[in-house]
Amino acid sequence: FIFNMIFLGGQILLLRKQFEKIQLLQIPVTMIFSLLIDLFMTLLDWIKPETYLVSLPLLGCGCCIMALGITLSIRAHFIMTPADAFVRALAAHIQKPFGNIKICFDLTLMILAAISSFVLFGYFRGVREGTLISALLVGSVINFYQKVLDLAKKNPSRRQEV
C-alpha cells in the first residue's frame, strides 16, 4: 500500500495542475485490486507448475492477459492502479510509448527488489527468471496491443448492408 501511495504522489508531482481529482479513486482501486489478488491466489493455489515446460507458458499467458487489461484500461481511460497510472503519467510527460516506460519501470522495480532481497536475506528471494521475463514481456505486449488497436482504429471494417 505504501509504495502505491508513493506512485500516486509521483503522479501528482509529475502532472501538477493536470492531475485530476478523480484519480484519487486509485486508493480504493488499490484496496480492491489487493483483495482480488489475495482471492485469486487462494482460488488458484492448486496450480503448482513444477517444470519450465509448464511454468513458461503459464507465465506468458499471465503476462499477455495482464498486458491486455492494462492496454484496455489506458484506452478506456479507466482508473488504474497507482503504479500503472504513474507509468502513464511519466510516459505522457516525457512523450514516450507507455509500453517502453513500463519495461523500464518494471525492470527498475525488479532490480530494487533483487538488491533488497540480497541485502535482507543474503540471497535473491522471490526474484528469479520469471520476474525478469515478466518485466520485459508485459510492456512489449502492451506495445503490440497498442499497435493492433491503432491499426484497427485507422482501418475499421466496413459493415455490409443487407
Side-chain angles (χ1 to χ4, degrees), residues 15 26 55 91 102 120 158:
L15 298 173
Q26 291 174 35
S55 297
K102 175 77 171 153
L120 293 171
R158 296 179 187 221

Side-chain angles (χ1 to χ4, degrees), residues 17-124:
K17 292 181 180 180
Q18 293 175 336
F19 182 82
E20 300 170 347
K21 289 185 180 174
I22 194 165
Q23 293 301 323
L24 292 174
L25 288 173
Q26 291 174 35
I27 297 169
V29 164
T30 298
M31 292 177 192
I32 293 167
F33 189 70
S34 297
L35 291 171
L36 288 172
I37 288 173
D38 291 344
L39 172 68
F40 282 102
M41 285 191 64
T42 301
L43 291 175
L44 299 174
D45 186 48
W46 58 274
I47 301 175
K48 296 183 190 311
E50 296 182 14
T51 66
Y52 281 112
L53 190 62
V54 178
S55 297
L56 289 176
L58 286 174
L59 175 64
C61 287
C63 289
C64 290
I65 291 168
M66 184 177 0
L68 181 62
I70 294 169
T71 302
L72 294 176
S73 294
I74 292 168
R75 293 293 178 127
H77 303 288
F78 281 169
I79 301 295
M80 302 172 79
T81 61
D84 288 329
F86 175 77
V87 171
R88 180 180 58 192
L90 183 58
H93 185 73
I94 62 174
Q95 299 178 352
K96 299 287 182 192
F98 179 93
N100 294 359
I101 303 304
K102 175 77 171 153
I103 294 167
C104 294
F105 180 78
D106 288 351
L107 286 172
T108 301
L109 291 182
M110 185 204 72
I111 290 166
L112 291 173
I115 291 168
S116 298
S117 88
F118 194 75
V119 168
L120 293 171
F121 303 108
Y123 63 97
F124 296 120

